[in-house]
Amino acid sequence: MVAEKTLEILITLPFTDELIAPLREVAPRANIIVHPARDAKEIPKGIWERVVVLYTHDVLPAPESVPKLKWIQCHWAGIDGLLKAPILYQEGIMVTTLSGAAVPQMGEYILMMMLALGHHLPALIANQAKTGWPPDRWERFAPVELSNSTVGIVGYGSLGREVARLLQAYGATVLATKRDAMQPTDKGYAPEGRGDPEGDFAHRLYPPEALCSMLKECDFVVITVPLTPETHNLIDESELKALKPTAFLVDVSRGGVVNLQALRQALESGEIAGAALDVFPQEPLLPDSPLWHLPNVIITPHISGVTKHYDERAIALFAANLERYLQGKPLFNLFNPQLGY
């Protein structure tokens, strides 16, 4: 148990009193300081010296400046951009991510993209510009339906589990890769009623080593793994060749998980039917990238997690973790330096 009256919580985002009200309900005696900043130097030294819990997007202090710091809650699910900060590896300081908080909006985005690709939405929009009905419209626009399709989810974490839950309404067969495929349950954070905590919605789990075996079965593939040295170029030439020529790929993970050069070649040659991409190794995607002009590609500007409810959902996770912290329970989404996420 943590003594609440000694708890100093610093939030470096411009959160309103209304937004942080759930935190005050969990810890009414804690001192919550909201000090918006983009750099650690913008926070007074006296505040850093007292902080026990830090909630931040990317404002990370030097370890020596925060002698009382015990826990950093990050504002993002993916923290690959912060991995060079020494404080993330400081003994005695826990780091947690926002994994799971954004699954409502990202699950809808993924479902939207699978439907758009399967029902040839890019081709339909292009045809609309021609103001005519093609004589072969029945053949050209015959869909690959989600109904009774096989969807492979690369990474069965909080987001992958929410996608699996949504797919139940379509009668799709869900396959997924998971680091420990023998353990279908998940103890990570998920909003109430979301996800698949017991692993009931995945028809089969594959270890990462069997990724290509899973891909061969899929009509749609959804990439949701974090970017780590292990997952860099995880989807490369051999993985793309394992897919059916009628298969579609949706990537909402991080730029670098999918090898874009290999993907471009697969799309141009017809090795796969199409792709929806929200993340790229270099962002924004360069204007001269050929991917912009491929007729079987949907490109979005890294917005799959965007929603007007983002901060509200972030605070809900932070409040749940804060309650666990005060009770001495294990926190959701603990960063593991060995795994890189």
Side-chain angles (χ1 to χ4, degrees):
M1 299 290 288
V2 175
E4 188 181 316
K5 64 181 180 181
T6 65
L7 195 59
E8 296 269 347
I9 302 173
L10 171 62
I11 299 173
T12 65
L13 289 95
F15 287 168
T16 63
D17 288 341
E18 180 181 7
L19 189 60
I20 66 172
L23 304 179
R24 299 196 188 281
E25 291 180 10
V26 171
R29 299 172 64 190
N31 183 28
I32 302 176
I33 305 165
V34 178
H35 194 299
R38 295 298 306 177
D39 189 281
K41 295 177 182 178
E42 299 173 18
I43 306 294
K45 179 181 178 182
I47 293 179
W48 280 133
E49 290 174 346
R50 304 195 312 269
V51 169
V52 178
V53 177
L54 171 63
Y55 183 99
T56 188
H57 37 16
D58 57 3
V59 178
L60 297 173
E64 61 272 14
S65 66
V66 282
K68 296 184 178 181
L69 187 64
K70 300 296 183 186
W71 168 31
I72 301 171
Q73 172 67 63
C74 297
H75 188 59
W76 312 115
I79 61 170
D80 42 284
L82 306 178
L83 294 183
K84 293 183 180 180
I87 199 163
L88 265 62
Y89 310 93
Q90 190 74 9
E91 185 176 354
I93 296 178
M94 297 179 292
V95 179
T96 55
T97 74
L98 213 67
S99 180
V103 299
Q105 65 267 31
M106 294 189 73
E108 287 192 12
Y109 172 97
I110 291 167
L111 203 66
M112 172 183 71
M113 288 302 172
M114 285 194 288
L115 289 167
L117 289 168
H119 286 262
H120 308 292
L121 186 60
L124 287 167
I125 292 174
N127 182 76
Q128 179 180 341
K130 298 178 180 178
T131 65
W133 286 19
D136 61 343
R137 67 186 189 279
W138 287 5
E139 296 82 8
R140 185 186 301 188
F141 300 131
V144 177
E145 301 176 15
L146 277 181
S147 179
N148 299 315
S149 66
T150 297
V151 179
I153 300 173
V154 182
Y156 206 50
S158 56
L159 177 56
R161 290 167 186 264
E162 173 65 0
V163 174
R165 185 187 72 84
L166 293 171
L167 287 170
Q168 299 311 294
Y170 293 86
T173 296
V174 175
L175 311 177
T177 63
K178 187 177 183 295
R179 179 181 292 277
D180 185 356
M182 300 302 292
Q183 296 292 333
T185 59
D186 180 42
K187 297 181 180 179
Y189 176 82
E192 187 175 355
R194 302 281 184 170
D196 180 22
E198 300 303 319
D200 295 329
F201 300 146
H203 293 75
R204 191 183 310 157
L205 292 176
Y206 294 74
E209 297 78 13
L211 173 59
C212 284
S213 295
M214 183 190 81
L215 294 177
K216 292 176 182 178
E217 307 294 326
C218 298
D219 301 300
F220 298 88
V221 176
V222 180
I223 315 297
T224 66
V225 292
L227 177 63
T228 69
E230 196 173 79
T231 63
H232 182 255
N233 283 344
L234 177 67
I235 305 300
D236 210 334
E237 184 176 352
S238 59
E239 288 73 26
L240 293 166
K241 286 184 180 299
L243 289 169
K244 303 173 185 177
T246 54
F248 298 99
L249 182 144
V250 179
D251 185 15
V252 295
S253 57
R254 279 291 188 270
V257 173
V258 175
N259 183 325
L260 283 192
Q261 183 175 352
L263 177 62
R264 173 193 165 191
Q265 292 173 350
L267 290 163
E268 290 178 333
S269 65
E271 289 180 13
I272 67 172
L277 308 174
D278 189 49
V279 292
F280 307 90
Q282 182 177 348
E283 295 184 351
L285 179 65
L286 293 176
D288 60 354
S289 170
L291 288 170
W292 288 108
H293 306 291
L294 294 183
N296 52 350
V297 176
I298 301 174
I299 290 176
T300 57
H302 204 150
I303 48 77
S304 59
V306 173
T307 173
K308 63 180 180 180
H309 304 295
Y310 189 94
D311 290 346
E312 174 188 336
R313 291 169 180 165
I315 285 292
L317 187 155
F318 185 31
N321 250 353
L322 181 58
E323 185 171 13
R324 296 173 75 89
Y325 177 79
L326 293 172
Q327 295 174 354
K329 295 180 178 180
L331 301 183
F332 291 123
N333 305 335
L334 272 171
F335 168 67
N336 185 325
Q338 279 71 45
L339 298 179
Y341 63 91

